[in-house]
Amino acid sequence: MPTHPPPTSSEPWWKTAVVYQIYPRSFCDTTGNGVGDLEGIRRHLDHLVWLGIDAIWLSPFFTSPMFDYGYDVADYCDVDRLFGDLATFDALVADAHALGIRVIIDWVPNHSSIDHPWFVESRSSRDNPKRDWYVWRDPKPDGSLPNNWVESLTYGPAWTLDQTTGQYYLHNFLPQQPDLNWANPGLKTAMLDTLRFWLDRGVDGFRMDVVHMIGKDPELADEPPEFVGLPHDILNEQPETHVHLRDIRKVLDSYEGDRVAIGEIPLFDLDLMAGHYGDDDELHLVFNFPLIFAQWDASQLRNVLTTTLAALEPRGAWPTWVLSNHDFPRHRTRYGGSEAYARAAAVLLLTLQGTPFMYAGEELGLLDAVIPPDRVRDPAGRDGCRAPLPWTAEPPHGWSTDTEPWLPWPPVPEHSNAEVLRDDPTSILHLYHSILALRRDTPALRLGGIGMLQTPPGVLAFQRGDGPEAVTVVVNFTEGHMPFDVAGVVALSTTRPANDEFDGMLHPDEAVILR
Ligand code: NOJ
């Protein structure tokens, strides 16, 4: 019997959607500069329609000096010329919508770029009207830093001294990413206006970058001794954040069409993470990251699933699931490279109760690129998972470039590309396509409740939905055959054809969906 109850009544689109994350720099270059662009995304919408995803989330494409590859925004309301312009963006949204694909963009509310005109003004003098739009503090009387916070990208101090005015500014990420001061009403109004700017252009929602950071301890107190040295973004939990989130939610709710707010909240306490759903008046969805940190191991993953569902269930909060993104090695790489694991992981990700987020290229079974020292770009060492997507077998793999792309290709681009895998019905790309089609046609997989089933060690199994509509998902994490006594017809398997009665014996590394 499912223990986590199914949601009731008519549901907003984002509950049944599968979201596909695109890192624009790495998707497809159409201008020959080695960097992907918005037009490159527009030209590949057919791939996404065939694949069967429902929404795209675009990592930042805003004007930026690119110290953090766009997560340092110098203009919240324009497109960086590397990626195109507002007209290209509008064309992308129009085409995506015409094809039934929603568009979610990345909003970076905790910090801007040092090049943002607000910061340029703010740092110009202590009495500038925008001084308080950022977080400035005097050195301590002994000349040391205002507190002991550590920034999250290179684990340096979260403060930089600005020579012009002799004060430190706070940056919980790179020194080029000064934290915005949401306690200032003028800044808050200006940031809410940036949401309206994009909502008016038709976006369906926002992935909100480290949005739990916008409420700050008014005292900016030192981390307690047990947390010294940990980056502040895994610790910051403030009542003010929830006030701001309710105001953000009101802006989205004032628009038609279920515009969605998805928070990136890397707090490790699952209850604190879940608190950011509020009382259905803060975020609609919150990423949870334990899945990214778990190994390909039945008991670890079972633990992640049950603890996450238990944290969300009392609030009636809808789960999200993600295996890979632009900040961590791809899951296939983390699991040691096995394609069999990657195939089974696809079944797991796309059959759990909640909204799954895929990362572009996982449908191609991509591994991280190997980055030689002279090609390193990211100060935090995240280049491997940001390698360009190969579209075709022949170099330059569907990228319109005579120069090398900004990062090296992932391994075996002549095989792991959209063209070759599309021609092979047994490929991982076709597997993703089949799972997504099954998910779309199976109400129990989209909205059904979830209940974990008893299993032998090395096997994970759960039931989605109830009664004759119910579906059972079983994953064998072992390299051997495993007996598993459950009745049903194979709707999809990573190792065997569909439509036969399940014979009670799991194949090595198999994931199977039974009905
Ligand atoms: C989280 C983003 O995913 C990451 O790429 C970025 O570096 C930090 N937030 C800072 O914006």
Side-chain angles (χ1 to χ4, degrees), residues 187-489:
L187 176 278
K188 180 168 173 173
T189 302
M191 284 304 289
L192 295 181
D193 281 346
T194 67
L195 290 173
R196 294 189 185 94
F197 177 86
W198 294 103
L199 288 164
D200 289 340
R201 293 195 105 84
V203 305
D204 299 285
F206 301 89
R207 177 269 191 187
M208 303 188 170
D209 189 68
V210 288
V211 72
H212 66 302
M213 301 284 289
I214 61 179
K216 305 236 189 300
D217 171 13
E219 307 296 324
L220 297 173
D222 275 339
E223 309 294 11
E226 65 272 30
F227 295 142
V228 171
L230 293 179
H232 188 66
D233 76 323
I234 64 170
L235 303 168
N236 194 75
E237 157 57 27
Q238 288 295 321
E240 261 330 276
T241 299
H242 300 278
V243 176
H244 300 319
L245 288 178
R246 286 193 283 276
D247 291 336
I248 288 167
R249 174 67 175 263
K250 281 184 200 138
V251 172
L252 269 64
D253 284 351
S254 71
Y255 284 77
E256 304 256 292
D258 289 323
R259 314 291 176 107
V260 66
I262 307 161
E264 185 218 18
I265 300 198
L267 292 170
F268 283 100
D269 182 315
L270 284 170
D271 292 323
L272 292 183
M273 176 278 291
H276 292 74
Y277 285 84
D279 191 11
D280 191 24
D281 57 355
E282 297 185 27
L283 297 166
H284 298 97
L285 295 174
V286 178
F287 285 130
N288 69 81
F289 290 107
L291 202 53
I292 282 196
F293 295 106
Q295 285 160 346
W296 187 246
D297 174 272
S299 68
Q300 269 194 42
L301 289 170
R302 185 187 175 95
N303 186 41
V304 166
L305 304 186
T306 50
T307 51
T308 305
L309 292 170
L312 298 178
E313 203 259 312
R315 294 178 171 273
W318 190 242
T320 64
W321 304 105
V322 53
L323 289 170
S324 288
N325 65 25
H326 64 293
D327 287 332
F328 300 97
R330 286 180 177 276
H331 59 272
R332 180 167 173 195
T333 299
R334 297 199 310 271
Y335 299 155
S338 152
E339 178 167 333
Y341 292 179
R343 293 171 70 94
V347 172
L348 182 67
L349 176 73
L350 298 172
T351 58
L352 288 170
Q353 185 195 40
T355 302
F357 287 75
M358 294 174 55
Y359 179 46
E362 74 178 63
E363 78 277 23
L364 307 178
L366 291 189
L367 290 158
D368 279 18
V370 176
I371 311 290
D374 64 332
R375 299 283 307 267
V376 168
R377 305 292 294 266
D378 177 40
R382 298 165 293 183
D383 293 326
C385 63
R386 299 175 178 181
L389 253 70
W391 291 98
T392 59
E394 296 297 322
H397 304 299
W399 281 48
S400 141
T401 179
D402 299 327
T403 55
E404 273 285 287
W406 75 292
L407 285 171
W409 295 103
V412 285
E414 63 284 1
H415 167 75
S416 296
N417 62 72
E419 177 187 55
V420 166
L421 299 183
R422 182 77 181 264
D423 279 348
D424 172 5
T426 68
S427 70
I428 189 166
L429 176 61
H430 276 265
L431 176 71
Y432 270 90
H433 168 76
S434 302
I435 306 169
L436 288 166
L438 182 65
R439 188 186 152 94
R440 205 169 33 250
D441 293 343
T442 310
L445 286 178
R446 288 188 284 121
L447 285 168
I450 186 166
M452 304 305 289
L453 302 177
Q454 291 290 337
T455 51
V459 175
L460 181 73
F462 50 87
Q463 184 183 315
R464 295 292 314 279
D466 253 335
E469 301 281 297
V471 167
T472 305
V473 180
V474 191
V475 184
N476 179 9
F477 289 75
T478 76
E479 312 279 293
H481 286 83
M482 285 291 275
F484 189 69
D485 187 17
V486 62
V489 172

Side-chain angles (χ1 to χ4, degrees), residues 21 23 57 59-60 68-72 106 108 110-111 152-153 172-174 177 207 209-210 233 264 266 289 325-328 378 380 382 386:
Q21 180 196 356
Y23 196 69
W57 144 34
S59 280
D68 190 15
Y69 294 103
Y71 285 95
D72 47 329
D106 216 312
V108 190
N110 176 65
H111 44 267
S152 304
L153 292 186
N172 277 295
F173 295 87
L174 298 176
Q177 295 169 291
R207 177 269 191 187
D209 189 68
V210 288
D233 76 323
E264 185 218 18
F289 290 107
N325 65 25
H326 64 293
D327 287 332
F328 300 97
D378 177 40
R382 298 165 293 183
R386 299 175 178 181

